[in-house]
Amino acid sequence: MMKHRNLKNEEWTRMAIDSLFERGVLPDWQEFASVIRNDKHLAEETLIVCGYHQNIESAALARVLVDHFYGAMADVG
């Protein structure tokens, strides 16, 4: 699992998503995609982070993943 700055747990929290957006590399994104596929709550949390994150490229990629796995849900976030 991606080591998120200053985090003790290995859950995909908003802080972890933020860290992924800032410095995630391909294996991190692959892991994230694998987890988000079966975790609608993570998809919802991801859309929240997308709404405020400065890295618009990472936010756009995350929205593509949410859209791929959950369809119109990404249009709401």
Side-chain angles (χ1 to χ4, degrees):
M1 166 151 236
M2 178 180 175
K3 294 295 181 194
H4 308 290
R5 63 165 191 234
N6 303 324
L7 300 182
K8 303 275 189 217
N9 64 42
E10 295 187 352
E11 296 177 21
W12 282 102
T13 61
R14 287 185 193 175
M15 208 176 199
I17 297 165
D18 186 76
S19 184
L20 173 72
F21 283 16
E22 288 182 9
R23 61 184 183 82
V25 294
L26 182 58
D28 302 322
W29 280 95
Q30 289 170 327
E31 175 193 336
F32 179 73
S34 177
V35 174
I36 202 171
R37 171 181 295 155
N38 298 308
D39 190 339
K40 189 173 182 178
H41 177 71
L42 176 57
E44 293 166 346
E45 293 293 295
T46 298
L47 291 177
I48 292 169
V49 176
C50 287
Y52 67 77
H53 206 278
Q54 298 285 329
N55 188 327
I56 56 175
E57 292 86 0
S58 290
L61 176 56
R63 284 182 184 275
V64 167
L65 287 172
V66 172
D67 186 54
H68 177 72
F69 295 123
Y70 297 98
M73 181 177 156
D75 295 334
V76 177

